[in-house]
Amino acid sequence: GLLEVRDGALADVVRSFAKATERRLLLIFDQFEDYLYHPPENDGFAEGFSQIVNDRRLRVGVLLVLREEALAKLDRFQDRVPDLFANYLRIDHLDREGARAAIRDPIERFNERFGETFSVADDLVEAVLDDIRTGSIPLAGRERSDAQGKPGEDRVETPYVQLVMERLWSEPEVARSRELGLETLKALGGAKTIVKTHLDRVMAALSRAEQSLASRAFRYLVTISGTKFAHSVRDLVDLSRTSSEPLEREPLALLLETLQGERFRILRRIAATLPAGDRYEIEHDILALAILDWRRRFDAAAERERDAQTRAAERSEERRVG
């Protein structure tokens, strides 16, 4: 990956490529907050990036895509890139019409590609959009910003659309009837229930030991403020070495692979660009705070269980001595 290029060589690579193609290039750095939160020790990327942006003769555009809360961390580039904040575009949530298209268009493309006849009922679409307006589904610990909108505002949280529609699509009734209908949504408790219970539902499918391991791994994948990080198995094992319960590599690798699989979709795997191997991160931003809430409840229940076992052991010892 480009982030591995050292000592300003990134600029040389881009210049050579731009010259060879004889076209204007656009470099897109998605999820740029991952770099801002974890810059490499020998940060050759910063030097190369600055050279590319400041070279007016170079026919290369650069687009950084990052979460709003990470924006302030771009300050590290201000001395090197004077016009860093000159072109700032804030992406808002989907409006209602855009959300309708996000629901209907994929089904139409699927039908065209595979010769199917799936349909989605109008009343289902409107019910889903009513339920998942921005600010209408408070999650534990979530602080609403202006970017999230106000309750009742006609904007829709895109990850909620994906999560709800994936859940509906997986229902056997949809496969039989070839229709995503309102009755299926009602049977699942509505869109709000699907969003709020998604994590609990999939985590309940894990064994108690796997849940305990997941709780410890989530500690490093999501900060207490709800910021998500991407880590490799090796990263997670190293980070946990000073904890009372360090993570073991093999069980952890198996669990992370399970959580990013088709059945769970809690994590996303990022192909390796560094020697540490593939990294894993939370699939949806909206799951970050849900994971914090799940961890809090799981750890509290585990603590109560340990206390109960300790008291039972103490009573047993008292009876034995008596």
Side-chain angles (χ1 to χ4, degrees), residues 85-300:
F85 294 98
N87 296 297
Y88 167 56
L89 177 63
R90 186 179 185 181
I91 305 299
D92 205 346
H93 292 297
L94 287 174
D95 61 20
R96 197 171 181 98
E97 191 57 37
R100 288 193 188 100
I103 292 174
R104 293 185 178 281
D105 289 357
I107 295 174
E108 292 177 5
R109 300 292 84 77
F110 181 86
N111 287 340
E112 291 172 2
R113 181 173 181 182
F114 298 102
E116 286 286 359
T117 58
F118 285 95
S119 63
V120 55
D122 292 341
D123 52 2
L124 168 71
V125 174
E126 300 310 314
V128 169
L129 299 186
D130 286 342
D131 266 5
I132 59 176
R133 292 191 305 269
T134 55
S136 66
I137 306 180
L139 294 175
R142 181 170 189 166
E143 295 180 1
R144 184 184 57 77
S145 67
D146 290 339
Q148 290 173 310
K150 301 178 178 62
E153 188 179 36
D154 221 16
R155 294 278 175 176
V156 174
E157 307 234 23
T158 312
Y160 287 170
V161 175
Q162 182 177 353
L163 193 154
V164 171
M165 297 312 296
E166 283 180 352
R167 180 72 177 90
L168 289 168
W169 187 259
S170 68
E171 282 298 292
E173 174 59 30
V174 171
R176 289 193 297 268
S177 67
R178 291 295 194 268
E179 182 185 47
L180 286 83
L182 183 59
E183 290 306 312
T184 304
L185 179 67
K186 289 180 177 179
L188 294 172
K192 286 185 179 179
T193 299
I194 291 174
V195 171
K196 289 181 177 180
T197 62
H198 172 69
L199 184 69
D200 283 358
R201 181 175 61 86
V202 296
M203 294 305 289
L206 297 175
S207 69
R208 184 72 174 179
E210 288 172 327
Q211 289 178 13
S212 178
L213 181 60
S215 177
R216 286 182 280 143
F218 286 157
R219 174 183 178 187
Y220 305 102
L221 293 170
V222 183
T223 70
I224 194 66
S225 63
T227 300
K228 65 178 187 178
F229 287 114
H231 289 298
S232 67
V233 174
R234 191 175 78 180
D235 289 340
L236 292 170
V237 170
D238 288 343
L239 286 167
S240 72
R241 290 194 188 283
T242 58
S243 68
S244 59
E245 292 183 284
L247 297 167
E248 297 181 21
R249 184 180 183 86
E250 293 308 316
L252 176 63
L254 182 61
L255 175 68
L256 296 181
E257 188 64 19
T258 298
L259 291 177
Q260 71 89 39
E262 186 74 18
R263 181 184 175 192
F264 288 84
R265 294 187 179 182
I266 297 299
L267 301 181
R268 174 194 295 120
R269 182 170 55 204
I270 303 172
T273 58
L274 297 172
D278 290 353
R279 294 180 299 156
Y280 294 85
E281 69 174 1
I282 304 305
E283 173 75 24
H284 291 302
D285 291 344
I286 58 171
L287 289 176
L289 288 168
I291 283 172
L292 286 179
D293 182 51
W294 178 85
R295 272 196 63 219
R296 176 186 58 78
R297 290 182 284 113
F298 177 83
D299 291 348

Side-chain angles (χ1 to χ4, degrees), residues 25 46 54 70 103 127-128 200 276 303 316:
L25 303 179
N54 291 325
I103 292 174
V128 169
D200 283 358
E303 182 66 26
S316 178

Side-chain angles (χ1 to χ4, degrees), residues 4-22:
E4 297 178 71
V5 179
R6 297 289 185 261
D7 302 326
L10 172 62
D12 294 334
V13 171
V14 173
R15 288 190 184 103
S16 297
F17 195 75
K19 184 177 180 180
T21 59
E22 296 183 346

